[in-house]
Amino acid sequence: ANGATVTGVSVGPCIIAANLAGNANYNAAPQRILSFSIGMTSQSIAFSAAPVILVGGTGTVSATGGASGNVVTFTSTTSTVCTVSGSTVTGVTAGTCIIAANQAGNAGYFAATETTQSFSIGLAGQVISFGTAPVITVGGTGIVSANGGASGNAVTFTSTTLSVCTIIGATVTGVAAGTCTIAANQAGNANYGAAAQATQNISIGVAAQAIVFGAAPSVAVGGTGTVSATGGASGNAVIFT
């Protein structure tokens, strides 16, 4: 006690004695005893700001408990959406994650009432990464490749320069010499957002041509004969000297 203010130190019976001194005219009063119980104190848990977590990512939850000194422990009540180990939360699928916090009591404090914190597990991003560009000439073909994100959806390819190249599946065909641009896309799903479109530039080179002679003519002195030859795909005439 401090003056008339009593402070509870621990649970149990508290006995306060009251005394009154006498003076020249009055005897000291008989001591009086007041007995009452010091009860247990409640505890409460307060969460800090919720973390920002995406599917496959992690974040930390924190909470302040009561004065028992016992640690605040966390569990996930939505384990299909998120899990928690210690205070580290991992996003499993997109949705609402609910984390429950508890704190045990002791001889002077009741266990805290369970408190929950809800927050969203967001869609994870995806990134497309092209492999090495193929070497392609006009009329030739090559294969493009790219790795996408974890959605499991296929990376699809399109040509944005159809006058220079075309593509079917992952096979690029050179149409004309120049810069061929291939665009790659990957769709999202319930847990992953669609990947940002990525592009790869491929130089379509000039194709080679070869000349093949036909059968040699039979020509005598003073006579004539005709030579023939097949050229490449340029469409230009084969000339003879």
Side-chain angles (χ1 to χ4, degrees):
N2 182 11
T5 301
V6 178
T7 300
V9 176
S10 62
V11 174
C14 174
I15 300 173
I16 300 297
N19 293 277
L20 178 64
N23 58 19
N25 295 312
Y26 294 90
N27 292 323
Q31 185 183 72
R32 294 291 185 180
I33 299 297
L34 177 67
S35 179
F36 55 92
S37 294
I38 301 296
M40 295 181 69
T41 302
S42 297
Q43 298 185 105
S44 61
I45 298 171
F47 271 99
S48 301
V52 177
I53 304 175
L54 305 178
V55 172
T58 61
T60 301
V61 288
S62 63
T64 303
S68 68
N70 293 320
V71 297
V72 176
T73 59
F74 302 103
T75 55
S76 170
T77 67
T78 52
S79 58
T80 59
V81 177
C82 61
T83 60
V84 63
S85 177
S87 60
T88 301
V89 179
T90 300
V92 178
T93 59
T96 300
C97 170
I98 301 175
I99 299 297
N102 288 275
Q103 184 183 29
N106 59 17
Y109 292 86
F110 291 109
T113 301
E114 183 177 84
T115 304
T116 61
Q117 183 177 61
S118 300
F119 51 90
S120 295
I121 302 298
L123 295 177
Q126 299 188 104
V127 176
I128 297 172
S129 176
F130 271 98
T132 303
V135 176
I136 305 173
T137 56
V138 174
T141 62
I143 304 295
V144 290
S145 63
N147 292 320
S151 68
N153 292 321
V155 176
T156 59
F157 302 105
T158 56
S159 170
T160 66
T161 52
L162 291 173
S163 63
V164 179
C165 62
T166 60
I167 187 168
I168 297 176
T171 302
V172 179
T173 300
V175 175
T179 300
C180 165
T181 302
I182 300 298
N185 290 276
Q186 185 183 29
N189 60 16
N191 294 313
Y192 294 88
Q197 186 181 79
T199 59
Q200 183 176 62
N201 290 330
I202 303 167
S203 179
I204 303 299
V206 176
Q209 298 186 100
I211 298 172
V212 179
F213 270 103
S218 177
V219 183
V221 173
T224 62
T226 302
V227 290
S228 64
T230 302
S234 66
N236 295 320
V238 176
I239 59 175
F240 304 102
T241 57

